[in-house]
Amino acid sequence: MYCVNQIRPPDIESCNTHACELIWITGEWTECSSSCGQGYRQRLVSCSEVHVENDNYEYSHQSLSNCPGTPPESYMPCNLDPCPPPQEWRVGIWGQCSVSCGDGVMERMVQCLAADGQENNRCTWENKPEARKVCKNPSCHLPSSCGEVQTLNGPLPDSEYLLNIQGKTLKVYCAEMQTDTPQEYISLMAAEGENFSEIFGYRLNDPTQCPANGSRREDCDCRRDYTTAGITTFSKVRLDISKMNIITTDWKFAFTHEGKSVPFATAGDCYSAARCPQGQFRINLSGTGFRVSDDTSWISQGNNAVADVQKSQDGSRVSGMCGGYCGKCAPSSGSSLAVTVESI
């Protein structure tokens, strides 16, 4: 009642009378969408109304169409290192079977190529297509001996002929084709330095020694008077097909360079009694289709005899150092060496 004559103060007043500001708000760019080559990055873009109250900013989201100007980019291309071109295995067509009948092999070209056709080595090797496989041509009849070749065709010249040996087609040299007793020989493909036998001719004056650590030297304190010494090389070796043995004492296609003829796969000396062998032999059947049988072994013979014989894993090559005072080594089967055909 006392305020009747007083002016009532206002109970509402305006505040924050300046216009609200609309601004674009952007987030952080994401990582590139691709690990190589061209990709993109993106970020959040929004339009917000800004309110200032006691130096504190408050934002309220608005429709994108309310904000002035062009909105900031929300996508951005990103370019990394070029991606390596894709690789894949390319194969050629299979070649002809290696034999005209029976079991053989076929081969084809296998390459790792990039998209541009260039060869490289980035393909997955676990997925490499096979480049070689067994093939079977229609069965056919091949003679199994030189005698059968002669029976089927009459007298023929001595030459290489295809024979069926243990189910495999192999080339064998047939000799004595103008006689009643043709003979089979294996033509050795390696050089003569890979198929020889030697009985070393030097003897130490003091046979209890092993000079030069056992290495071979001809300027030793020794004499060269071992009467059974010799060195023989072989270009072909006689094959007994019925027994699958090489006859080591056949020298028809052998050449003795000095001294006495030495059987195939044999070596020895009369050099030293101190386990110091100097005689050597080598066998190399590579490329013939034959190999030395797994159960073939060599024995030492004579006084103080010792043999160091090494055979390759596939049985195609054998080398030996043998000797004694006097001694040698030879195949355990005597004058024969057991062989078999190579597996495909």
Side-chain angles (χ1 to χ4, degrees):
M1 61 178 290
Y2 298 104
C3 296
V4 171
N5 296 324
Q6 300 295 321
I7 298 174
R8 182 179 178 179
D11 55 1
I12 297 175
E13 69 176 353
S14 299
C15 66
N16 204 17
T17 58
H18 60 278
C20 291
E21 183 179 5
L22 295 176
I23 63 173
W24 292 104
I25 303 296
T26 58
E28 296 291 329
W29 287 107
T30 63
E31 293 184 359
C32 193
S33 62
S34 177
S35 60
C36 64
Q38 185 169 345
Y40 64 88
R41 302 178 190 272
Q42 59 182 340
R43 63 180 177 180
L44 179 67
V45 175
S46 62
C47 178
S48 296
E49 185 180 54
V50 181
H51 301 272
V52 180
E53 185 71 30
N54 297 327
D55 294 330
N56 291 324
Y57 290 83
E58 295 182 356
Y59 299 89
S60 63
H61 293 292
Q62 300 291 317
S63 170
L64 293 179
S65 61
N66 292 338
C67 273
T70 303
E73 295 290 342
S74 60
Y75 287 86
M76 179 177 67
C78 49
N79 292 291
L80 303 176
D81 293 334
C83 293
Q87 296 87 29
E88 63 177 350
W89 290 109
R90 304 281 181 86
V91 297
I93 61 174
W94 287 107
Q96 293 184 340
C97 195
S98 61
V99 296
S100 58
C101 60
D103 294 343
V105 292
M106 291 193 304
E107 295 182 332
R108 65 179 176 181
M109 183 176 64
V110 177
Q111 291 179 299
C112 177
L113 299 180
D116 58 2
Q118 297 297 312
E119 188 171 3
N120 59 42
N121 59 357
R122 295 180 178 175
C123 293
T124 303
W125 289 93
E126 292 81 0
N127 299 329
K128 183 179 180 181
E130 61 179 358
R132 193 171 188 261
K133 69 177 180 178
V134 174
C135 57
K136 292 180 180 291
N137 271 342
S139 60
C140 62
H141 175 75
L142 281 177
S144 58
S145 69
C146 293
E148 190 175 349
V149 172
Q150 188 188 67
T151 300
L152 294 172
N153 301 280
L156 292 171
D158 293 0
S159 183
E160 304 278 351
Y161 294 94
L162 291 177
L163 300 183
N164 183 352
I165 301 177
Q166 293 186 339
K168 303 295 189 296
T169 302
L170 297 178
K171 190 177 290 186
V172 171
Y173 187 87
C174 293
E176 306 293 332
M177 290 293 282
Q178 304 297 316
T179 71
D180 294 334
T181 56
Q183 299 173 345
E184 293 81 16
Y185 285 83
I186 299 173
S187 295
L188 302 171
M189 310 304 292
E192 68 174 22
E194 292 294 309
N195 287 285
F196 71 89
S197 298
E198 178 197 43
I199 302 295
F200 192 58
Y202 288 83
R203 296 204 293 169
L204 289 172
N205 291 320
D206 181 358
T208 64
Q209 301 297 312
C210 184
N213 244 352
S215 63
R216 182 162 169 160
R217 294 180 59 181
E218 296 185 357
D219 61 347
C220 55
D221 179 18
C222 50
R223 58 193 186 276
R224 191 176 186 181
D225 62 354
Y226 190 27
T227 57
T228 60
I231 181 167
T232 302
T233 57
F234 298 82
S235 60
K236 304 180 195 301
V237 287
R238 173 78 182 278
L239 175 65
D240 183 341
I241 286 185
S242 62
K243 298 179 180 178
M244 286 301 291
N245 287 332
I246 290 175
I247 301 173
T248 62
T249 53
D250 186 295
W251 291 286
K252 183 177 181 65
F253 294 98
F255 179 72
T256 297
H257 295 257
E258 59 183 61
K260 303 287 182 64
S261 295
V262 185
F264 191 65
T266 302
D269 64 21
C270 202
Y271 182 72
S272 171
R275 301 184 65 82
C276 197
Q278 301 294 307
Q280 302 179 64
F281 78 82
R282 285 188 186 174
I283 301 169
N284 191 335
L285 301 180
S286 299
T288 67
F290 295 88
R291 63 180 181 85
V292 177
S293 296
D294 294 336
D295 56 356
T296 299
S297 61
W298 274 255
I299 59 173
S300 300
Q301 302 171 347
N303 298 323
N304 304 104
V306 59
D308 180 13
V309 178
Q310 305 293 328
K311 184 161 56 174
S312 67
Q313 187 173 4
D314 64 359
S316 64
R317 299 179 304 280
V318 184
S319 62
M321 290 283 293
C322 307
Y325 198 78
C326 300
K328 68 176 183 177
C329 68
S332 58
S333 52
S335 59
S336 63
L337 177 69
V339 293
T340 186
V341 298
E342 290 181 334
S343 57
I344 295 177

Short mmCIF file of all heavy atoms in Angstrom, two decimals, residues 71-110:
data_model
loop_
_atom_site.label_atom_id
_atom_site.label_comp_id
_atom_site.label_asym_id
_atom_site.label_seq_id
_atom_site.Cartn_x
_atom_site.Cartn_y
_atom_site.Cartn_z
N PRO A 71 30.61 -24.71 -47.20
CA PRO A 71 31.12 -25.54 -46.09
C PRO A 71 32.52 -26.07 -46.39
O PRO A 71 32.89 -26.30 -47.55
CB PRO A 71 30.10 -26.68 -46.01
CG PRO A 71 29.48 -26.75 -47.36
CD PRO A 71 29.45 -25.33 -47.86
N PRO A 72 33.34 -26.26 -45.35
CA PRO A 72 34.68 -26.85 -45.56
C PRO A 72 34.56 -28.27 -46.13
O PRO A 72 33.54 -28.93 -45.99
CB PRO A 72 35.27 -26.87 -44.14
CG PRO A 72 34.46 -25.91 -43.35
CD PRO A 72 33.07 -25.95 -43.94
N GLU A 73 35.64 -28.71 -46.77
CA GLU A 73 35.65 -30.04 -47.35
C GLU A 73 35.58 -31.10 -46.24
O GLU A 73 36.25 -30.99 -45.21
CB GLU A 73 36.93 -30.27 -48.16
CG GLU A 73 37.06 -29.38 -49.40
CD GLU A 73 36.07 -29.77 -50.48
OE1 GLU A 73 35.54 -30.90 -50.41
OE2 GLU A 73 35.80 -28.94 -51.36
N SER A 74 34.71 -32.08 -46.47
CA SER A 74 34.66 -33.20 -45.52
C SER A 74 35.39 -34.44 -46.06
O SER A 74 35.60 -35.40 -45.32
CB SER A 74 33.20 -33.56 -45.21
OG SER A 74 32.52 -33.93 -46.41
N TYR A 75 35.80 -34.42 -47.35
CA TYR A 75 36.58 -35.51 -47.96
C TYR A 75 37.81 -34.90 -48.62
O TYR A 75 37.75 -33.80 -49.17
CB TYR A 75 35.76 -36.26 -49.01
CG TYR A 75 34.69 -37.14 -48.44
CD1 TYR A 75 33.43 -36.62 -48.16
CD2 TYR A 75 34.93 -38.49 -48.20
CE1 TYR A 75 32.43 -37.42 -47.62
CE2 TYR A 75 33.93 -39.29 -47.66
CZ TYR A 75 32.69 -38.76 -47.38
OH TYR A 75 31.72 -39.55 -46.85
N MET A 76 38.92 -35.60 -48.54
CA MET A 76 40.15 -35.13 -49.15
C MET A 76 40.91 -36.33 -49.72
O MET A 76 41.10 -37.35 -49.02
CB MET A 76 41.02 -34.42 -48.11
CG MET A 76 42.36 -33.92 -48.68
SD MET A 76 43.32 -33.00 -47.45
CE MET A 76 43.72 -34.33 -46.30
N PRO A 77 41.32 -36.28 -51.00
CA PRO A 77 42.09 -37.41 -51.54
C PRO A 77 43.47 -37.49 -50.90
O PRO A 77 44.03 -36.49 -50.46
CB PRO A 77 42.19 -37.07 -53.04
CG PRO A 77 42.01 -35.59 -53.12
CD PRO A 77 41.09 -35.22 -51.98
N CYS A 78 43.98 -38.71 -50.80
CA CYS A 78 45.33 -38.92 -50.27
C CYS A 78 46.05 -39.91 -51.19
O CYS A 78 45.48 -40.90 -51.63
CB CYS A 78 45.31 -39.43 -48.83
SG CYS A 78 44.22 -40.84 -48.56
N ASN A 79 47.28 -39.61 -51.50
CA ASN A 79 48.08 -40.45 -52.40
C ASN A 79 49.30 -40.98 -51.66
O ASN A 79 50.11 -40.21 -51.15
CB ASN A 79 48.52 -39.65 -53.63
CG ASN A 79 47.36 -39.30 -54.53
OD1 ASN A 79 46.78 -40.17 -55.16
ND2 ASN A 79 47.02 -38.01 -54.59
N LEU A 80 49.40 -42.31 -51.61
CA LEU A 80 50.56 -42.94 -50.98
C LEU A 80 51.45 -43.51 -52.07
O LEU A 80 51.26 -43.25 -53.26
CB LEU A 80 50.09 -44.03 -50.02
CG LEU A 80 49.13 -43.55 -48.91
CD1 LEU A 80 48.66 -44.72 -48.07
CD2 LEU A 80 49.81 -42.51 -48.04
N ASP A 81 52.44 -44.30 -51.68
CA ASP A 81 53.32 -44.94 -52.66
C ASP A 81 52.50 -45.82 -53.60
O ASP A 81 51.50 -46.44 -53.17
CB ASP A 81 54.38 -45.78 -51.96
CG ASP A 81 55.34 -44.92 -51.17
OD1 ASP A 81 55.50 -43.73 -51.55
OD2 ASP A 81 55.91 -45.42 -50.18
N PRO A 82 52.89 -45.91 -54.85
CA PRO A 82 52.13 -46.75 -55.80
C PRO A 82 52.05 -48.20 -55.32
O PRO A 82 53.00 -48.73 -54.74
CB PRO A 82 52.93 -46.65 -57.10
CG PRO A 82 53.76 -45.41 -56.95
CD PRO A 82 54.05 -45.27 -55.49
N CYS A 83 50.92 -48.83 -55.54
CA CYS A 83 50.78 -50.24 -55.19
C CYS A 83 51.57 -51.09 -56.19
O CYS A 83 51.63 -50.77 -57.39
CB CYS A 83 49.30 -50.67 -55.25
SG CYS A 83 48.28 -49.90 -53.99
N PRO A 84 52.24 -52.16 -55.71
CA PRO A 84 52.96 -53.02 -56.65
C PRO A 84 51.97 -53.68 -57.60
O PRO A 84 50.84 -53.99 -57.21
CB PRO A 84 53.63 -54.05 -55.74
CG PRO A 84 52.82 -54.05 -54.48
CD PRO A 84 52.33 -52.64 -54.33
N PRO A 85 52.35 -53.85 -58.86
CA PRO A 85 51.42 -54.47 -59.82
C PRO A 85 51.10 -55.89 -59.40
O PRO A 85 51.92 -56.58 -58.78
CB PRO A 85 52.20 -54.45 -61.14
CG PRO A 85 53.63 -54.37 -60.73
CD PRO A 85 53.66 -53.58 -59.46
N PRO A 86 49.92 -56.37 -59.68
CA PRO A 86 49.55 -57.75 -59.30
C PRO A 86 50.40 -58.75 -60.07
O PRO A 86 50.76 -58.53 -61.22
CB PRO A 86 48.08 -57.84 -59.69
CG PRO A 86 47.89 -56.79 -60.75
CD PRO A 86 48.84 -55.69 -60.38
N GLN A 87 50.76 -59.85 -59.41
CA GLN A 87 51.54 -60.91 -60.05
C GLN A 87 50.70 -62.18 -60.12
O GLN A 87 49.87 -62.43 -59.25
CB GLN A 87 52.82 -61.19 -59.27
CG GLN A 87 53.81 -60.04 -59.22
CD GLN A 87 53.55 -59.09 -58.08
OE1 GLN A 87 53.03 -59.49 -57.05
NE2 GLN A 87 53.90 -57.83 -58.27
N GLU A 88 50.99 -62.96 -61.12
CA GLU A 88 50.30 -64.23 -61.23
C GLU A 88 51.18 -65.20 -62.01
O GLU A 88 52.05 -64.81 -62.77
CB GLU A 88 48.95 -64.08 -61.91
CG GLU A 88 49.02 -63.59 -63.35
CD GLU A 88 47.66 -63.54 -64.01
OE1 GLU A 88 46.70 -64.04 -63.40
OE2 GLU A 88 47.56 -63.00 -65.12
N TRP A 89 50.93 -66.49 -61.78
CA TRP A 89 51.66 -67.52 -62.50
C TRP A 89 51.05 -67.70 -63.88
O TRP A 89 49.83 -67.81 -64.01
CB TRP A 89 51.61 -68.84 -61.72
CG TRP A 89 52.41 -68.84 -60.46
CD1 TRP A 89 51.93 -68.83 -59.19
CD2 TRP A 89 53.84 -68.86 -60.35
NE1 TRP A 89 52.97 -68.84 -58.28
CE2 TRP A 89 54.14 -68.85 -58.97
CE3 TRP A 89 54.88 -68.89 -61.27
CZ2 TRP A 89 55.46 -68.87 -58.50
CZ3 TRP A 89 56.19 -68.89 -60.81
CH2 TRP A 89 56.46 -68.88 -59.44
N ARG A 90 51.88 -67.72 -64.88
CA ARG A 90 51.45 -68.01 -66.25
C ARG A 90 52.12 -69.31 -66.69
O ARG A 90 53.31 -69.51 -66.44
CB ARG A 90 51.85 -66.88 -67.20
CG ARG A 90 51.33 -65.52 -66.79
CD ARG A 90 49.87 -65.32 -67.14
NE ARG A 90 49.40 -64.00 -66.76
CZ ARG A 90 49.53 -62.92 -67.52
NH1 ARG A 90 50.10 -63.01 -68.71
NH2 ARG A 90 49.06 -61.76 -67.11
N VAL A 91 51.38 -70.15 -67.34
CA VAL A 91 51.93 -71.45 -67.76
C VAL A 91 51.81 -71.59 -69.27
O VAL A 91 50.89 -71.06 -69.90
CB VAL A 91 51.20 -72.63 -67.07
CG1 VAL A 91 51.40 -72.58 -65.56
CG2 VAL A 91 49.70 -72.62 -67.40
N GLY A 92 52.78 -72.31 -69.84
CA GLY A 92 52.74 -72.63 -71.26
C GLY A 92 52.05 -73.97 -71.47
O GLY A 92 51.55 -74.59 -70.53
N ILE A 93 52.06 -74.41 -72.70
CA ILE A 93 51.43 -75.70 -73.00
C ILE A 93 52.42 -76.82 -72.71
O ILE A 93 53.64 -76.63 -72.75
CB ILE A 93 50.96 -75.76 -74.48
CG1 ILE A 93 52.16 -75.60 -75.42
CG2 ILE A 93 49.92 -74.69 -74.75
CD1 ILE A 93 51.79 -75.81 -76.88
N TRP A 94 51.89 -77.98 -72.40
CA TRP A 94 52.75 -79.13 -72.11
C TRP A 94 53.49 -79.56 -73.38
O TRP A 94 52.91 -79.59 -74.47
CB TRP A 94 51.92 -80.30 -71.59
CG TRP A 94 51.43 -80.11 -70.20
CD1 TRP A 94 50.16 -79.85 -69.79
CD2 TRP A 94 52.21 -80.17 -69.00
NE1 TRP A 94 50.08 -79.74 -68.42
CE2 TRP A 94 51.33 -79.94 -67.91
CE3 TRP A 94 53.56 -80.41 -68.74
CZ2 TRP A 94 51.76 -79.93 -66.59
CZ3 TRP A 94 53.99 -80.39 -67.42
CH2 TRP A 94 53.12 -80.15 -66.37
N GLY A 95 54.77 -79.88 -73.23
CA GLY A 95 55.55 -80.39 -74.33
C GLY A 95 55.25 -81.86 -74.57
O GLY A 95 54.41 -82.47 -73.90
N GLN A 96 55.94 -82.44 -75.53
CA GLN A 96 55.73 -83.84 -75.85
C GLN A 96 56.28 -84.74 -74.76
O GLN A 96 57.18 -84.36 -74.00
CB GLN A 96 56.39 -84.19 -77.19
CG GLN A 96 55.74 -83.51 -78.39
CD GLN A 96 56.38 -83.97 -79.70
OE1 GLN A 96 57.49 -84.47 -79.71
NE2 GLN A 96 55.66 -83.80 -80.79
N CYS A 97 55.75 -85.93 -74.67
CA CYS A 97 56.26 -86.91 -73.72
C CYS A 97 57.70 -87.26 -74.10
O CYS A 97 58.05 -87.31 -75.29
CB CYS A 97 55.37 -88.17 -73.75
SG CYS A 97 55.62 -89.26 -72.33
N SER A 98 58.53 -87.49 -73.09
CA SER A 98 59.96 -87.72 -73.34
C SER A 98 60.24 -89.08 -73.98
O SER A 98 61.35 -89.32 -74.45
CB SER A 98 60.73 -87.60 -72.02
OG SER A 98 60.29 -88.57 -71.09
N VAL A 99 59.28 -89.98 -73.98
CA VAL A 99 59.48 -91.29 -74.59
C VAL A 99 58.35 -91.56 -75.56
O VAL A 99 57.25 -91.02 -75.45
CB VAL A 99 59.55 -92.41 -73.52
CG1 VAL A 99 60.74 -92.23 -72.61
CG2 VAL A 99 58.27 -92.47 -72.71
N SER A 100 58.64 -92.41 -76.52
CA SER A 100 57.63 -92.73 -77.51
C SER A 100 56.67 -93.81 -77.03
O SER A 100 55.61 -94.01 -77.60
CB SER A 100 58.31 -93.18 -78.81
OG SER A 100 59.14 -94.31 -78.56
N CYS A 101 57.05 -94.50 -75.98
CA CYS A 101 56.15 -95.48 -75.37
C CYS A 101 56.58 -95.72 -73.94
O CYS A 101 57.72 -95.45 -73.57
CB CYS A 101 56.14 -96.80 -76.15
SG CYS A 101 57.74 -97.59 -76.25
N GLY A 102 55.64 -96.17 -73.14
CA GLY A 102 55.95 -96.41 -71.73
C GLY A 102 55.87 -95.13 -70.92
O GLY A 102 55.20 -94.17 -71.27
N ASP A 103 56.59 -95.11 -69.78
CA ASP A 103 56.56 -93.97 -68.87
C ASP A 103 57.62 -92.95 -69.25
O ASP A 103 58.75 -93.29 -69.54
CB ASP A 103 56.82 -94.44 -67.43
CG ASP A 103 55.71 -95.33 -66.90
OD1 ASP A 103 54.62 -95.32 -67.52
OD2 ASP A 103 55.93 -96.03 -65.90
N GLY A 104 57.22 -91.68 -69.23
CA GLY A 104 58.15 -90.59 -69.50
C GLY A 104 57.76 -89.36 -68.72
O GLY A 104 57.01 -89.44 -67.74
N VAL A 105 58.24 -88.20 -69.15
CA VAL A 105 57.90 -86.95 -68.48
C VAL A 105 57.55 -85.90 -69.53
O VAL A 105 58.03 -85.94 -70.67
CB VAL A 105 59.06 -86.42 -67.59
CG1 VAL A 105 59.28 -87.33 -66.41
CG2 VAL A 105 60.34 -86.28 -68.41
N MET A 106 56.67 -84.98 -69.14
CA MET A 106 56.33 -83.81 -69.95
C MET A 106 56.70 -82.57 -69.16
O MET A 106 56.61 -82.55 -67.93
CB MET A 106 54.83 -83.79 -70.29
CG MET A 106 54.38 -84.87 -71.24
SD MET A 106 52.70 -84.57 -71.90
CE MET A 106 51.76 -84.42 -70.37
N GLU A 107 57.09 -81.53 -69.87
CA GLU A 107 57.47 -80.28 -69.23
C GLU A 107 56.76 -79.11 -69.90
O GLU A 107 56.36 -79.18 -71.06
CB GLU A 107 58.98 -80.08 -69.29
CG GLU A 107 59.78 -81.10 -68.52
CD GLU A 107 61.27 -80.85 -68.56
OE1 GLU A 107 61.73 -80.27 -69.56
OE2 GLU A 107 61.95 -81.25 -67.61
N ARG A 108 56.59 -78.03 -69.13
CA ARG A 108 56.02 -76.80 -69.67
C ARG A 108 56.67 -75.61 -68.98
O ARG A 108 57.28 -75.75 -67.90
CB ARG A 108 54.50 -76.75 -69.46
CG ARG A 108 54.09 -76.68 -67.99
CD ARG A 108 52.59 -76.60 -67.84
NE ARG A 108 52.19 -76.63 -66.44
CZ ARG A 108 50.92 -76.58 -66.02
NH1 ARG A 108 49.94 -76.52 -66.92
NH2 ARG A 108 50.62 -76.61 -64.74
N MET A 109 56.55 -74.44 -69.59
CA MET A 109 57.14 -73.23 -69.03
C MET A 109 56.20 -72.66 -67.97
O MET A 109 54.99 -72.55 -68.19
CB MET A 109 57.39 -72.21 -70.12
CG MET A 109 58.08 -70.93 -69.64
SD MET A 109 58.47 -69.81 -71.01
CE MET A 109 56.82 -69.40 -71.57
N VAL A 110 56.75 -72.27 -66.82
CA VAL A 110 55.99 -71.63 -65.75
C VAL A 110 56.70 -70.34 -65.39
O VAL A 110 57.89 -70.36 -65.05
CB VAL A 110 55.88 -72.55 -64.51
CG1 VAL A 110 55.14 -71.82 -63.39
CG2 VAL A 110 55.16 -73.85 -64.87
#
